[in-house]
Amino acid sequence: MDELSAVLDRTSPETALDFDAIVIGAGVSGLYQLYKLRELGLRARVFEAGTGVGGTWYWNRYPGARFDSESWTYGYSFSQELLDEWDWEEHFAAQPETERYLNYVADKFDLRRDIQCKSRVASAHYQDDTRSWEVVSEDGRRYTTRLLITAIGVLSAATMPTIPGVETFQGQSCHTHYWPKEPVSFAGKRVAVIGTGATGVQTITEVAKTAGSLTVFQRTPQWCAPLHNSKISKEEMQRIRADYAEIFARCQETYGCFIHTTDPRSALEVTPEEREAFWEKLYSEPGFGIWMGNFRDILTDRQANALISEFLARKIRQRVKDPVVAEKLIPKNHGFGTRRVPLESGYFEAYNQPNVQLVDLMETPIERITPTGIKTNAAAYDFDLIIYATGFDAITGAFDRIDIRGVDGVSLKDKWQDGPQTFLGILVDGFPNFLMVMGPHAGLGNFPRAAEYSADWVTALVRFAHERGLTRLEATAATSQAWTDHVLATSEGLLFAEVDSWMTGINRNVAGKQVRRVMRYSGGHPAFRQRCDAVAAGGYRELTLA
Ligand code: NA7
């Protein structure tokens, strides 16, 4: 720390800045990034829009919100002490447990003193003369910093549907992302849910348990698979703890950093009986195994994908009693796994309950929200509560909502109009000293596993620069272009790239987000890390450092 402090000559006018680093967001990435910057001895401040830490797990407190990744693969791996101290209660923790965990981390590492809550960043402008960023919060406070590090997540810019009349509804209404902290009772209430993504599926299953009536407005059905959650006993937690090193090592080896390893066989090379038996096994096991631990070609080969989709369709038909409803719940416009697979705990059975009704918006689209409910082109429904599970302006949306300007006032939103351009998903040419933890073009998957790597890489670069007295870090246009081309190439041949979803940058509620774009690195985490490691090992020759 002392060495670095010596390099950072804070008395010169150039470094008379409020902070060495400002981090935006106190979620999974931001908390860890702050911890790492502290290790370097930097003056860092985290700006967080919420009143507390936790990011995704602070905001998304809607009924039924929980992990779809195994809790014990999702926690931070950087501190043995933390691993020794924290006991997970469930294999797939619900939001309150995860929020508690992240608060525990913030307290344990004394992170809060550098976190400024209720501080949403409105703008960040780069000043080349001082090689610094001026960051302005929504309430008009101004700060200067050498480095601006975003840790704003991939799903943090929630979007309401652009249905006419949303503002006229006189009952209660809420987007799942902004769910209130106070408990909400559904007993005796007429509840509507719009949206059937991973969030809608969790919400619907929970609300159906107590609502007077629940009407689900579904535009696109999902290929959901069972979560099979269960409690973790003390003995089991001990076993997990003893295995942590192996668990994290295994996650590093898989495509999406999940614990599930892809089966090397093709779905087409085994007998129908073997295939069926394997899929039955996966369907009966917890977590994303059926998505991430399946035959190697179900997400690339149309025939293999059609077969697994047929298997899942059969399951839906078995589980939903009314065959007409079952057919509506079976996706027809995309194959299994080409969108993010929602994991469920009794979702399909909810539709067997007398208090639950499904409205298929492909047959009867919503015309408007009325003061008393929802009007489709076929009927008018009255509600006490409308829940909008309508998703996010994913990946680039949270960036678009901040007025970020680089050299010569160029706006990041404008630069990314036709899709993100980055170097390693971490740097952007024309935006010096701007670093993104889990930015666009990073790999998606088990988020903390990837976020820890991303923050470590950023930290190593910052250390490298400070040790050499370098104060301007920038990706070049050429290397950004090469990386962006490479990212595009990694999605070729993957069936998900042919489907509209937040993973392909589609959000029909946001202007300009109707054309598919490649938003993430699709070559798998091991390959991603290899590329990033090579840049670091080579002394960051791909960057312009001054
Ligand atoms: P998703 O997966 O983007 O789902 C949003 C849902 O809302 C989806 O079913 C949409 O239908 C539906 N939607 C959006 N706008 C409308 C309108 N205007 N009318 C009707 N239905 C609409 O978001 P989630 O929050 O569920 O999940 C996001 C990720 O968070 C998830 O994948 C996990 O990784 C965690 P569509 O499919 O567009 O037809």
Side-chain angles (χ1 to χ4, degrees):
M1 168 175 166
D2 288 345
E3 252 172 63
L4 288 173
S5 309
V7 173
L8 279 171
D9 176 13
R10 286 171 192 142
T11 54
S12 81
E14 195 201 68
T15 51
L17 302 169
D18 295 327
F19 300 105
D20 299 323
I22 283 181
V23 177
I24 311 179
V28 167
S29 313
L31 290 176
Y32 180 57
Q33 185 63 72
L34 172 59
Y35 173 84
K36 295 301 286 180
L37 293 171
R38 284 247 194 97
E39 277 186 343
L40 293 185
L42 299 191
R43 295 168 303 146
R45 172 70 57 89
V46 177
F47 284 64
E48 166 55 50
T51 60
V53 303
T56 287
W57 302 105
Y58 165 87
W59 292 103
N60 290 281
R61 47 185 80 242
Y62 61 84
R66 73 169 61 245
F67 281 162
D68 283 344
S69 310
E70 290 73 5
S71 313
W72 34 272
T73 68
Y74 193 98
Y76 292 111
S77 68
F78 70 89
S79 160
Q80 188 56 47
E81 236 180 64
L82 177 62
L83 293 169
D84 289 343
E85 288 169 8
W86 184 263
D87 282 355
W88 290 103
E89 289 170 16
E90 293 184 89
H91 282 279
F92 300 89
Q95 177 272 337
E97 189 180 355
T98 312
E99 192 188 15
R100 257 195 328 273
Y101 171 74
L102 292 167
N103 274 279
Y104 181 84
V105 171
D107 289 331
K108 178 174 173 59
F109 299 103
D110 187 24
L111 300 176
R112 288 186 207 277
R113 65 185 154 90
D114 289 322
I115 299 173
Q116 195 167 314
C117 288
K118 291 191 274 184
S119 297
R120 187 178 285 282
V121 172
S123 70
H125 293 181
Y126 179 69
Q127 325 281 344
D128 220 0
D129 50 349
T130 52
R131 299 182 170 189
S132 67
W133 285 84
E134 185 181 57
V135 175
V136 182
S137 61
E138 250 179 18
D139 59 10
R141 285 173 291 171
R142 287 167 189 277
Y143 306 86
T144 52
T145 177
R146 170 78 66 230
L147 301 169
L148 178 63
I149 303 178
T150 60
I152 52 183
V154 289
L155 294 156
S156 53
T159 47
M160 288 288 284
T162 50
I163 303 170
V166 166
E167 66 296 341
T168 65
F169 181 62
Q170 286 176 356
Q172 284 179 294
S173 64
C174 192
H175 190 289
T176 45
H177 183 68
Y178 295 112
W179 200 262
K181 288 181 180 160
E182 305 71 43
V184 177
S185 166
F186 307 107
K189 284 191 188 154
R190 298 162 301 172
V191 183
V193 175
I194 301 179
T196 52
T199 302
V201 165
Q202 291 185 333
T203 306
I204 290 159
T205 311
E206 195 56 31
V207 174
K209 291 175 185 167
T210 55
S213 70
L214 169 61
T215 309
V216 176
F217 292 85
Q218 171 192 271
R219 191 162 66 186
T220 309
Q222 302 291 335
W223 293 110
C224 309
L227 176 68
H228 296 301
N229 185 29
S230 58
K231 297 261 185 244
I232 300 178
S233 67
K234 282 231 166 324
E235 300 70 46
E236 214 174 347
M237 193 61 230
Q238 271 172 11
R239 281 199 297 278
I240 289 168
R241 187 167 284 126
D243 284 350
Y244 265 138
E246 197 192 318
I247 289 166
F248 292 131
R250 192 159 149 205
C251 288
Q252 294 304 318
E253 286 163 14
T254 63
Y255 177 88
C257 289
F258 295 109
I259 195 74
H260 310 279
T261 312
T262 309
D263 191 293
R265 294 172 297 169
S266 158
L268 308 174
E269 77 187 32
V270 299
T271 65
E273 293 73 27
E274 278 175 306
R275 206 161 48 216
E276 187 76 7
F278 183 50
W279 285 341
E280 282 293 350
K281 176 177 168 293
L282 292 176
Y283 200 78
S284 70
E285 289 176 345
F288 279 136
I290 195 152
W291 191 25
M292 293 289 145
N294 213 314
F295 294 117
R296 67 161 200 271
D297 51 356
I298 62 146
L299 303 177
T300 51
D301 182 282
R302 276 172 223 290
Q303 202 188 339
N305 186 260
L307 287 169
I308 181 71
S309 301
E310 272 166 39
F311 174 85
L312 268 296
R314 253 183 289 137
K315 289 292 178 193
I316 298 172
R317 289 188 188 107
Q318 283 162 14
R319 291 175 59 185
V320 178
K321 286 188 186 141
D322 181 336
V324 177
V325 176
E327 282 320 302
K328 290 181 189 208
L329 288 167
I330 297 172
K332 306 289 189 302
N333 67 355
H334 65 283
F336 172 75
T338 60
R339 287 177 142 207
R340 202 288 209 170
V341 174
L343 295 184
E344 48 81 30
S345 308
Y347 174 65
F348 292 114
E349 285 73 15
Y351 293 96
N352 297 334
Q353 295 177 203
N355 64 334
V356 179
Q357 182 188 5
L358 180 66
V359 176
D360 183 350
L361 299 181
M362 300 313 278
E363 286 175 2
T364 57
I366 296 176
E367 283 182 348
R368 62 182 304 110
I369 308 290
T370 67
T372 57
I374 296 174
K375 186 178 177 317
T376 66
N377 68 357
Y381 304 82
D382 286 345
F383 297 110
D384 303 303
L385 169 60
I386 300 177
I387 301 174
Y388 294 100
T390 43
F392 298 87
D393 184 357
I395 303 179
T396 51
F399 289 89
D400 291 351
R401 289 183 185 186
I402 303 172
D403 177 23
I404 299 170
R405 290 176 191 270
V407 174
D408 296 332
V410 170
S411 138
L412 186 66
K413 186 176 178 186
D414 289 347
K415 186 176 171 75
W416 284 358
Q417 205 168 23
D418 299 323
Q421 296 164 47
T422 77
F423 179 58
L424 306 178
I426 295 174
L427 295 117
V428 184
D429 66 287
F431 292 75
N433 299 350
F434 177 71
L435 300 156
M436 303 177 292
V437 180
M438 295 304 289
H441 287 174
L444 293 173
N446 187 344
F447 194 85
R449 298 281 65 74
E452 272 185 344
Y453 178 80
S454 191
D456 284 342
W457 197 93
V458 163
T459 308
L461 171 61
V462 171
R463 174 187 284 277
F464 181 92
H466 279 314
E467 282 174 352
R468 288 159 181 77
L470 304 165
T471 52
R472 195 180 187 282
L473 329 175
E474 191 186 1
T476 68
T479 50
S480 300
Q481 188 59 53
W483 173 257
T484 301
D485 290 346
H486 173 60
V487 172
L488 301 190
T490 62
S491 74
E492 275 165 26
L494 297 178
L495 297 174
F496 95 94
E498 301 169 5
V499 172
D500 287 355
S501 80
W502 65 259
M503 290 198 284
T504 48
I506 298 290
N507 186 320
R508 288 193 255 165
N509 300 309
V510 181
K513 302 272 169 102
Q514 274 84 35
V515 178
R516 278 184 222 138
R517 282 152 303 152
V518 174
M519 305 286 274
R520 60 163 186 162
Y521 182 83
S522 301
H525 284 274
F528 177 75
R529 284 194 306 270
Q530 222 172 39
R531 293 250 170 186
C532 296
D533 286 349
V535 173
Y540 307 98
R541 280 194 305 268
E542 293 81 352
L543 307 184
T544 307
L545 303 174

